[in-house]
Amino acid sequence: ESLYTWETNVIGTINILNSLRKLDNICNAVFVTSDKCYDNVEWVWGYKESDVLGGKDIYSGSKGAAEIIFKSYYHSYFKNTEKFNVRIVSVRAGNVIGGGDWADYRIVPDCAKAWANNKSVEIRSSEATRPWQHVLEPLSGYLCCAQALASNIKLNGESFNFGPKSDYTKSVKDLIEDLSLYWNL
């Protein structure tokens, strides 16, 4: 499983960037990684685009590596847009809910699966707080970023975080309670 994670996030990123290098036509590319690309130092505020990349687990490390690869390819190949017709940006978001994500260990799908079977939800960290956001929020930001990339020739090689205001957080417990209010409507 860890090899697949590295292959997808690292080799996949390299393959896409190498493919973009071979293009002769104008192309704008938005790379989506994750807020997990940052070295998690357990502070209460959100991460800035300039914070240290890294990760203590396989997924986070591979996302941090993908961002480092993005940056190195930008400086090596895409910084000079007179030579290359490709411009790139990376975008990051986290604590995304909704949109048909039915993977295991996701709070909303876990609730729906348990409640559909009249079972209790297994809560791992009920007091943990997150700035939750619906998937359409960062997606809207990604599309706006793509539009800006297409219309602003000076935009190239930047990274952007997308998330709600830092004071918009809820605990896992509060999120589950809010979800439960609408379960039996």
Side-chain angles (χ1 to χ4, degrees):
E1 181 177 294
S2 62
L3 180 59
Y4 178 74
T5 300
W6 285 104
E7 286 174 344
T8 299
N9 293 329
V10 173
I11 303 302
T13 299
I14 291 169
N15 286 339
I16 290 170
L17 288 164
N18 277 331
S19 295
L20 289 171
R21 286 180 54 211
K22 296 176 184 177
L23 289 179
D24 290 326
N25 56 315
I26 294 172
C27 180
N28 300 308
V30 177
F31 282 79
V32 180
T33 62
S34 169
D35 68 340
K36 300 295 184 262
C37 68
Y38 295 107
D39 187 19
N40 185 354
V41 292
E42 300 292 339
W43 55 43
V44 295
W45 55 86
Y47 292 91
K48 300 181 304 295
E49 290 84 350
S50 58
D51 286 334
V52 175
L53 300 171
K56 296 173 183 76
D57 61 273
I58 298 298
Y59 180 79
S60 299
S62 71
K63 288 298 188 177
E67 286 285 349
I68 291 168
I69 291 163
F70 168 86
K71 183 178 179 180
S72 66
Y73 266 73
Y74 165 72
H75 285 284
S76 297
Y77 302 112
F78 300 115
K79 189 173 184 177
N80 182 357
T81 54
E82 293 171 8
K83 183 176 178 185
F84 287 98
N85 294 322
V86 175
R87 288 184 295 125
I88 58 175
V89 294
S90 73
V91 295
R92 309 159 180 162
N95 307 305
V96 177
I97 58 175
D101 179 359
W102 291 99
D104 290 333
Y105 307 111
R106 305 271 205 275
I107 193 65
V108 175
D110 288 354
C111 288
K113 290 173 192 175
W115 296 339
N117 292 305
N118 292 318
K119 293 185 177 179
S120 298
V121 179
E122 183 181 330
I123 303 171
R124 290 172 293 284
S125 301
S126 65
E127 298 306 314
T129 59
R130 302 283 184 272
W132 305 102
Q133 59 182 333
H134 190 272
V135 66
L136 294 179
E137 295 299 325
L139 182 57
S140 174
Y142 299 166
L143 293 172
C144 287
C145 193
Q147 184 178 22
L149 185 62
S151 63
N152 181 353
I153 194 140
K154 292 182 181 180
L155 181 61
N156 190 20
E158 300 292 330
S159 296
F160 299 96
N161 292 343
F162 290 89
K165 292 181 180 179
S166 60
D167 59 350
Y168 185 74
T169 61
K170 261 183 202 255
S171 69
V172 170
K173 179 182 174 195
D174 290 339
L175 178 65
I176 291 171
E177 287 174 359
D178 287 351
L179 290 170
S180 71
L181 294 174
Y182 300 97
W183 182 253
N184 289 318
L185 290 181

